[in-house]
Amino acid sequence: MDPISVFGLVSQIADLLMRALEYGKAVRDAHGDMAKLYSELLGLKGALEQLLKLSVPDPSATADPSIGAVLQSTEFRDTLISTRQIVKRLMENLNKKQTSSRRANAFLWPWVKDEVKSDIQDLERVKSVFTMMRSEERRVGKECRSR
């Protein structure tokens, strides 16, 4: 796993969170969808940050060759690629309908109901995969330390 690419993705998600929050405040009748989307983005960001901590271990810790196997897996790479695509799609969707007028933005929610539900489900899916990977990585690490 390339920690720099994960860090870049975390930074993109943080930027998306701030922009989406600001946008959601200006848009009428979008608070429920915005809250769900915001919650999933925060959860995804947290899961990625935890994986980043695992990938860059404490220098004083004893190196364990089995740590990192999950983070080097094809499933992890595929999920990371999928996450980048989701974040890119969310950013593009947020950008495409924004104007310079706060008043105009209040009427331009960038998602239709089905799209926002789909985006939330996609975020839930990748967040779950990263959370499972983090749990597996911790389990493997504990098993190796107990040997």
Side-chain angles (χ1 to χ4, degrees):
M1 177 183 75
D2 178 14
I4 294 173
S5 66
V6 174
F7 182 74
L9 191 54
V10 168
S11 295
Q12 261 190 316
I13 292 170
D15 181 51
L16 179 59
L17 280 165
M18 291 303 299
R19 294 181 63 212
L21 181 63
E22 290 171 10
Y23 192 76
K25 287 179 182 178
V27 177
R28 294 185 188 150
D29 301 324
H31 297 291
D33 290 339
M34 198 65 239
K36 290 175 191 169
L37 193 60
Y38 191 76
S39 175
E40 289 305 319
L41 284 168
L42 275 176
L44 177 60
K45 181 177 175 280
L48 286 168
E49 287 171 338
Q50 289 300 313
L51 284 170
L52 190 58
K53 285 180 186 177
L54 287 173
S55 71
V56 184
D58 180 4
S60 64
T62 305
D64 185 340
S66 66
I67 298 295
V70 172
L71 302 178
Q72 297 298 326
S73 69
T74 303
E75 182 183 14
F76 177 80
R77 288 188 197 132
D78 291 347
T79 306
L80 197 59
I81 290 168
S82 178
T83 303
R84 281 191 193 112
Q85 291 169 345
I86 293 166
V87 169
K88 181 181 177 190
R89 185 178 71 228
L90 291 171
M91 293 290 276
E92 288 170 353
N93 206 6
L94 191 59
N95 287 333
K96 74 180 175 186
K97 292 188 180 176
Q98 272 191 318
T99 68
S100 59
S101 166
R102 183 175 168 93
R103 182 170 286 180
N105 285 341
F107 299 101
L108 297 174
W109 176 235
W111 286 276
V112 295
K113 197 70 168 170
D114 291 340
E115 286 176 347
V116 76
K117 283 182 181 179
S118 175
D119 288 338
I120 290 169
Q121 288 172 346
D122 289 346
L123 288 168
E124 288 172 341
R125 180 183 49 79
V126 294
K127 180 185 73 173
S128 295
V129 171
F130 287 132
T131 301
M132 286 187 303
M133 287 179 179
R134 184 182 74 217
S135 297
E136 178 65 15
E137 189 71 15
R138 285 184 178 163
R139 185 189 64 74
V140 169
K142 285 180 183 179
E143 286 177 4
C144 290
R145 284 190 294 273
S146 66
R147 290 181 189 166

